[in-house]
Amino acid sequence: VILCSGQSNMDFSVAPWGGGGCLDANETVAAAAAGEYDDIRLMHGFGAPLWFNSSYNTGQSVGKFSAVCFLAAVQMKKIIPGYKHHPIGLIQASVGGTIIEEWMSPAMIEVCESASDSVSHANASAQPDYGERNSDDYFKMIAPLTPASLSAVFWYQAENNVRQNFQPANASWQFQDYYACLFRAKIQAW
């Protein structure tokens, strides 16, 4: 089972009518409808935990699923011998426009905020207040998966944190250091 998480690029769907539109979307959906990818099971990481085969609903479910996640699994089955004849479960837990803190528990965030002493926004007046949204997606989509046994996590996110532009008061602590700390803390906790 592979968890695919992050923001808009991970949320970008296979088909244009699903909110995205990758290369060969029609062929991918048609192949899924024909049962070519039935050993790739899909689940969205929110709401009721329902697994479905890729051919479910004449492949339309694949069209609404993360293109990065689904096509990575297709390539894994083609290239990696151990995956060719074994099912792969994919859980999509992604939301466009999110920052990394939304995918972390408060305790994970505190590790880095404490390390950087006093983190502040460089352009606070020009930036939206992200603070109230911290940990939302973690509690909705990641924490419920804690009992699951995952073989991998695909993570695709960062650009909204660049716009957020955290700069600590301590000049030796740069934005990239803060994000790297958050990223390490998330990896260790997940």
Side-chain angles (χ1 to χ4, degrees):
V1 176
I2 299 168
L3 172 61
C4 301
S5 188
Q7 65 181 55
S8 55
N9 290 328
M10 186 60 80
D11 209 40
F12 190 82
S13 66
V14 170
W17 40 262
C22 68
L23 183 66
D24 299 329
N26 292 336
E27 292 84 357
T28 302
V29 171
E36 188 174 324
Y37 307 122
D38 260 1
D39 55 352
I40 299 176
R41 312 304 196 295
L42 311 173
M43 182 177 94
H44 282 278
F46 47 87
L50 300 173
W51 287 97
F52 49 91
N53 287 341
S54 301
S55 62
Y56 174 75
N57 196 21
T58 63
Q60 302 302 302
S61 297
V62 167
K64 296 177 184 174
F65 205 77
S66 166
V68 170
C69 187
F70 186 76
L71 296 175
V74 168
Q75 290 303 307
M76 287 171 65
K77 293 193 78 53
K78 288 180 182 177
I79 297 170
I80 303 171
Y83 284 96
K84 188 169 186 163
H85 300 291
H86 295 288
I88 297 176
L90 302 175
I91 301 172
Q92 179 183 346
S94 56
V95 177
T98 56
I99 56 174
I100 193 171
E101 292 90 340
E102 291 182 56
W103 299 98
M104 302 172 68
S105 72
M108 290 182 242
I109 297 167
E110 180 61 31
V111 167
C112 297
E113 289 182 351
S114 295
S116 69
D117 292 326
S118 58
V119 177
S120 63
H121 291 283
N123 299 313
S125 61
Q127 300 296 325
D129 179 12
Y130 290 105
E132 65 190 46
R133 292 173 39 193
N134 284 351
S135 302
D136 287 354
D137 294 316
Y138 173 79
F139 288 116
K140 289 177 190 171
M141 291 187 256
I142 304 304
L145 299 174
T146 305
S149 177
L150 301 173
S151 61
V153 174
F154 297 161
W155 175 256
Y156 202 154
Q157 182 278 337
E159 55 267 23
N160 272 18
N161 280 91
V162 171
R163 283 187 221 128
Q164 187 182 20
N165 198 20
F166 267 125
Q167 294 297 329
N170 178 349
S172 67
W173 187 269
Q174 299 297 315
F175 164 77
Q176 61 272 20
D177 298 323
Y178 180 68
Y179 187 84
C181 181
L182 290 171
F183 195 57
R184 281 190 303 273
K186 183 184 73 62
I187 290 169
Q188 290 171 351
W190 281 20

